[in-house]
């Protein structure tokens, strides 16, 4: 059997088109568009390329995009004052601080200073709490887990009563996606197990999974014999395992591998995400959705 591929690249296009149409409608009816500010401190090349992609995507869907670049030397107090300025700015619905921050700045203090109603990354403790309560309390599910759930739903995979096994317990992927899949609602209502570095027999748990979500950051951790025939496999891992020359640009690019042995796993799974082109493109897409929703909450449309 060859698994159906769940492609983030395709799902992204569909969602961005939906967002663009909604932004246009809101602009016509209410005269406003979602505003997203991205605060970049310093000149880390990876951060610059993430921020550039976020801004390009924001422009594509019709947002007001503000890029606020600050020097590496900015003080914690000045950065807190900047966040306070955007918290009070009525034209801004989402505030994003690109991580990592320089060592002299307390990341937690900065993230916790963002108004929870503009925290489109969903990392503020208030939004973590809202996610835990579930239902109508949820405002901004964190972007990567939200993308994973969206992929499962759009691939038509039954989640109600499904055995979901999540490999990894990080605050940005493992814990939130596990929490989302156990809620009573659409695309969830599953029986969830979280496995991690303290788990005794990883294989036995993975073998039970109707939906296996792997976010460990260990290339090829999940072996094909751990996969239940027909299961849906979501590989969140992005691991650099070498470099190659790009056929398109002639430049050196990273060779990326997931946490699952993809070539063998696709012969057993019912559906599977590739790396790259699977979960990766979903994170920025869901950031756009959260920013649009932030404006919709403000306008009473949600
Ligand atoms: P993390 O390092 O914070 O957490 C990894 C988790 O996996 C830990 O909880 C750990 O207990 C568990 N783990 C590690 N090795 C294990 C093992 N051998 N057996 C069982 N459990 C093990 O990582 P993270 O931030 O959650 O990211 C995980 C992976 O997902 C990384 O490869 C990261 O690059 C990728 N990621 C991708 C996206 C995206 O595509 N948009 C977003 C976030 C993270």
């Amino acid at each position: 059997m060859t698994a159906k591929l769940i492609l983030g690249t395709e799902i992204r296009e569909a969602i961005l088109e939906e967002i663009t149409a909604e932004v246009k409608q809101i602009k016509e009816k209410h005269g406003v568009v979602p505003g997203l500010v991205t605060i970049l401190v310093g000149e880390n090349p990876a951060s610059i390329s993430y921020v550039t992609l976020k801004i390009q995507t924001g422009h594509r869907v019709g947002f007001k995009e503000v890029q606020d670049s600050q020097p590496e030397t900015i003080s914690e107090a000045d950065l807190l004052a900047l966040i306070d300025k955007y918290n009070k700015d009525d034209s801004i619905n989402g505030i994003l601080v690109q991580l990592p921050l320089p060592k002299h700045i307390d990341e937690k203090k900065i993230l916790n200073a963002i108004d929870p109603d503009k925290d489109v990354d969903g990392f503020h403790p208030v939004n973590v709490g809202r996610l835990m309560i579930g239902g109508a309390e949820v405002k901004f599910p964190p972007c990567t887990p939200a993308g994973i759930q969206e992929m499962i739903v759009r691939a038509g995979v039954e989640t109600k009563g499904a055995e979901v096994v999540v490999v990894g317990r990080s605050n940005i992927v493992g814990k939130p996606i596990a929490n989302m899949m156990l809620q009573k609602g659409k695309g969830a209502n599953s029986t969830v197990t979280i496995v991690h570095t303290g788990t005794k027999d990883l294989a036995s748990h993975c073998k039970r999974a109707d939906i296996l979500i792997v976010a460990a950051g260990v290339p090829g951790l999940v072996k094909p014999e751990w996969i239940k025939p027909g299961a849906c496999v979501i590989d969140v891992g992005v691991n650099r395992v070498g470099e190659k020359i790009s056929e398109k640009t002639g430049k050196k690019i990273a060779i990326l591998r997931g946490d699952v042995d993809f070539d063998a796993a696709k012969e057993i799974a019912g559906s599977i995400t590739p790396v790259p082109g699977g979960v990766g493109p979903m994170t920025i897409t869901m950031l756009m959705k959260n920013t649009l929703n932030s404006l919709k909450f403000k306008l009473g449309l949600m």
Side-chain angles (χ1 to χ4, degrees):
M1 182 168 87
T2 299
K4 171 182 162 189
L5 286 184
I6 309 176
L7 299 173
T9 42
E10 277 179 10
I11 297 173
R12 168 186 60 194
E13 294 308 307
I15 296 174
L16 291 181
E17 274 177 31
E18 291 162 17
I19 294 174
T20 308
E22 246 191 292
V23 169
K24 199 164 164 258
Q25 264 180 9
I26 292 175
K27 191 177 175 186
E28 280 165 12
K29 225 172 162 186
H30 300 271
V32 284
V33 297
L36 175 65
V37 60
T38 307
I39 301 173
L40 173 68
V41 179
E43 289 173 3
N44 176 331
S47 295
I48 292 173
S49 72
Y50 288 138
V51 165
T52 306
L53 196 55
K54 286 171 189 171
I55 290 169
Q56 281 171 352
T57 312
H59 280 142
R60 175 180 161 184
V61 295
F63 287 3
K64 169 187 162 171
E65 280 288 333
V66 179
Q67 182 183 354
D68 194 328
S69 297
Q70 295 293 330
E72 181 91 18
T73 50
I74 189 173
S75 70
E76 192 177 275
D78 285 350
L79 191 54
L80 286 169
L82 194 66
I83 288 173
D84 189 47
K85 181 185 104 173
Y86 288 118
N87 280 342
K88 290 175 179 151
D89 184 336
D90 230 24
S91 72
I92 294 296
N93 306 101
I95 301 172
L96 199 120
V97 179
Q98 185 63 46
L99 301 179
L101 291 171
K103 287 203 171 60
H104 66 277
I105 295 176
D106 182 348
E107 261 178 26
K108 214 164 147 188
K109 213 166 162 183
I110 299 298
L111 295 182
N112 290 357
I114 297 173
D115 177 349
D117 290 342
K118 295 188 180 188
D119 168 43
V120 286
D121 254 341
F123 293 152
H124 192 288
V126 167
N127 284 317
V128 176
R130 286 169 170 166
L131 191 79
M132 177 67 108
I133 295 167
E137 286 289 327
V138 182
K139 279 203 149 170
F140 306 121
C143 302
T144 303
I148 294 169
Q149 191 178 37
E150 193 75 34
M151 294 180 100
I152 295 170
V153 170
R154 289 186 188 235
V157 175
E158 177 61 85
T159 57
K160 186 180 173 201
E163 290 283 340
V164 171
V165 175
V166 178
V167 183
R169 56 179 158 188
S170 73
N171 287 330
I172 63 164
V173 189
K175 279 189 221 161
I177 188 61
N179 186 49
M180 288 160 77
M181 296 307 295
L182 64 79
Q183 301 290 346
K184 202 170 180 177
K186 191 186 161 217
N189 222 353
S190 310
T191 302
V192 181
T193 306
I194 307 181
V195 296
H196 43 74
T197 44
T199 299
K200 279 189 185 136
D201 183 359
L202 210 58
S204 69
H205 292 285
C206 293
K207 281 177 186 171
R208 285 189 294 106
D210 300 312
I211 300 172
L212 180 60
I213 301 168
V214 192
V218 181
L221 173 69
V222 171
K223 308 289 174 265
E225 60 273 21
W226 298 7
I227 293 167
K228 184 173 168 180
C232 169
V233 178
I234 306 287
D235 189 354
V236 191
V238 180
N239 307 290
R240 287 168 181 259
V241 293
E243 283 183 336
K244 63 177 180 185
I245 302 295
S246 160
E247 281 176 21
K248 262 194 205 160
T249 62
K251 286 185 185 164
K252 256 191 199 170
I253 52 165
I255 300 173
L256 301 178
R257 246 184 100 193
D259 290 350
V260 176
D261 177 351
F262 177 80
D263 288 334
K266 77 177 192 320
E267 300 305 321
I268 302 161
S271 53
I272 189 166
T273 60
V275 177
V279 175
M282 296 301 292
T283 302
I284 292 181
T285 305
M286 301 316 283
L287 174 73
M288 299 298 134
K289 188 151 189 186
N290 276 352
T291 307
L292 168 64
N293 287 348
S294 178
L295 177 62
K296 285 169 72 178
F297 282 123
K298 193 176 155 200
L299 295 173
L301 303 174
M302 277 185 89

